Amino acid sequence: MRVLVVGSGAREHALVLALAQDPQVTALACAPGNAGTAAVAEQHGLDVQDGAAVVALARDWTADLVVIGPEIPLVAGVADAVRAAGFACFGPGAEAARIEGSKAFAKDVMAAAGVPTASSLIVDSPADLDAALAGFTPPYVVKDDGLAAGKGVVVSEDLELARAHAMHLLDDGHPVLLESYLDGPEASLFCLVDGTTVVPLVPAQDFKRVGDGDAGPNTGGMGAYAPLPWAGETLVDELVAAVVQPVADEMARRGTPFTGLLYAGLALTSNGPAVIEFNCRFGDPETQVVLALLRTPLAALLNATAVGTLAEHPPLEWADGAAVTVVVAAEGYPGTPRLGDVISGSDAPGVLHAGTRRREDGAVVSTGGRVLSVVGTGTDLAAARADAYRRLEGVHLTGSHHRTDIGLRAEKGEVTVPGR
């Protein structure tokens, strides 16, 4: 099988590494890729939002399967173009990708499917903002209704901070979603969906805040671990039955079936699970830990999802133990990052690339805010954490920063689900 992966982040590096281990994969390409994917797959320059360009590359390269990693091309309808050209494609079409592209759309789907989520209100005019905020109590949750790479959310006890963020979004022409706050630990559940069949992967937990102890602003994700030692053996099945399957069924009922990776971001509250958000693709950095534990060959699994035969696929196989990833971010991130610095240690095992490129002199330099994801594995969470941070010691990027507490509370047994 010839597999073309579209994207350039650590998620795509993780996908490429997993696909490279699949004996069915005879050729592998990543477009546009990064300095890490270049060591594993053919690289091709590509505008990932240009459906015609993706189709042309798939045709020229004679791809058997196209895997679209990022949300932006999915929301733009690139998967529709690829499928219309006759290629098997892993990723939802534009209508189904609205589950991430529009939070208002996602809320409507959840309401129709009877899926619990935070109460919410859309505000599209500054004149309505103060009255709308008065209907909520702290902590205030203010979100960009559209795509924001994980950084369009403010959760704060400070009304003025919440208001300022909402005004900033409105001034930029973005509708604002106000939500009630959901308590309890958060979990990320990835599910493969081929329109009707739902197959869950192991759950993970990511860390959105930039600093230790969940301090500072939201980011695209500063680290993750899997599985969840505090979740209980039945939690995944319960979440599929209460959340993911009803949403998949509702989208199929609407005539826009979801095909690809449906990501449920959940709060496990004192009143039961509730959805924080849905994403229409593999999440980053959770993909790095989930795929580190997957032992089922990935290409056939993604292909079965793409062509609608997921129900016939054998049960998934997983490694014992745990995985942890720690994101190395450039100086300035999640604001304007410092770029162009040389990175040492980036070619070591367990180091996945995101914002990188290799110069003509062979040096790897930073090109984005989240630069690397360092992955460790072990027999349990403590061992996986130790492995990840040991690997991190060999990586150097001037001015970079990372969290030192990824998975620490779970390792100490300090994470619990209310009522379980």
Side-chain angles (χ1 to χ4, degrees):
M1 187 184 303
R2 295 173 61 85
V3 184
L4 168 62
V5 177
V6 174
S8 61
R11 163 186 48 230
E12 286 74 37
H13 195 179
L15 286 164
V16 164
L17 287 174
L19 289 164
Q21 296 170 13
D22 187 334
Q24 290 191 37
V25 174
T26 56
L28 189 55
C30 189
N34 57 44
T37 60
V40 191
E42 298 176 33
Q43 303 286 104
H44 296 271
L46 183 69
D47 177 356
V48 301
Q49 298 184 64
D50 186 339
V54 176
V55 168
L57 176 58
R59 187 173 288 127
D60 292 345
W61 193 72
T62 61
D64 297 309
L65 173 67
V66 178
V67 178
I68 301 177
E71 63 274 21
I72 291 175
L74 292 169
V75 171
V78 171
D80 295 308
V82 172
R83 273 192 282 271
F87 295 95
C89 183
F90 181 86
E95 281 299 308
R98 292 179 67 202
I99 197 79
E100 178 171 2
S102 168
K103 294 176 179 63
F105 173 79
K107 291 287 188 182
D108 185 63
V109 170
M110 284 186 275
V115 169
T117 185
S119 59
S120 63
L121 182 66
I122 290 284
V123 180
D124 57 13
S125 169
D128 300 330
L129 178 60
D130 288 334
L133 280 168
F136 291 83
T137 57
Y140 299 98
V141 181
V142 181
K143 298 181 177 181
D144 188 329
D145 182 55
L147 298 177
K151 295 182 286 185
V153 181
V154 161
V155 180
S156 178
E157 298 276 351
D158 187 333
L159 175 60
E160 287 307 311
L161 181 63
R163 186 181 187 279
H165 180 61
M167 284 299 297
H168 173 73
L169 294 173
L170 290 168
D171 287 345
D172 284 346
H174 295 213
V176 168
L177 182 76
L178 304 180
E179 282 189 333
S180 59
Y181 178 74
L182 298 173
D183 64 351
E186 295 184 8
S188 301
L189 181 63
F190 293 176
C191 291
L192 300 166
V193 183
D194 69 355
T196 53
T197 300
V198 174
V199 175
L201 308 186
V202 295
Q205 186 178 61
D206 78 331
F207 294 75
K208 289 294 188 189
R209 301 280 188 165
V210 71
D212 285 1
D214 292 330
N218 271 1
T219 70
M222 293 299 293
Y225 68 92
L228 309 179
W230 43 267
E233 294 183 359
T234 63
L235 180 64
V236 169
D237 289 342
E238 293 170 13
L239 293 175
V240 169
V243 173
V244 184
Q245 190 70 58
V247 164
D249 291 344
E250 171 61 19
M251 295 189 76
R253 187 193 67 78
R254 293 176 177 219
T256 57
F258 189 97
T259 300
L261 194 290
L262 187 57
Y263 163 157
L266 301 144
L268 306 179
T269 78
S270 52
N271 295 316
V275 175
I276 300 170
E277 64 176 357
F278 278 106
N279 291 333
C280 64
R281 38 70 193 184
F282 278 102
D284 184 339
E286 298 98 323
T287 300
Q288 290 87 297
V289 290
V290 170
L291 293 186
L293 298 173
L294 181 66
R295 291 297 172 263
T296 296
L298 185 60
L301 183 59
L302 300 186
N303 191 67
T305 307
V307 302
T309 59
L310 196 53
E312 302 166 19
H313 195 280
L316 305 189
E317 297 181 4
W318 298 93
D320 294 330
V324 170
T325 189
V326 182
V327 170
V328 177
E331 181 179 341
Y333 181 79
T336 303
R338 171 173 163 167
L339 307 177
D341 288 309
V342 173
I343 310 162
S344 61
S346 63
D347 293 330
V351 180
L352 305 187
H353 291 233
T356 68
R357 68 176 179 87
R358 192 176 297 274
R359 295 191 315 210
E360 290 184 3
D361 63 2
V364 175
V365 298
S366 59
T367 63
R370 290 191 297 170
V371 182
L372 303 168
S373 288
V374 181
V375 181
T377 56
T379 55
D380 57 19
L381 184 54
R385 287 191 74 252
D387 187 45
Y389 283 105
R390 176 186 61 79
R391 294 176 188 272
L392 187 62
E393 291 175 358
V395 175
H396 179 72
L397 170 63
T398 299
S400 68
H401 59 96
H402 64 272
R403 285 186 59 158
T404 66
D405 63 347
I406 303 300
L408 181 59
R409 291 188 62 236
E411 178 190 329
K412 292 180 175 181
E414 296 174 358
V415 182
T416 58
V417 180
R420 292 183 77 92

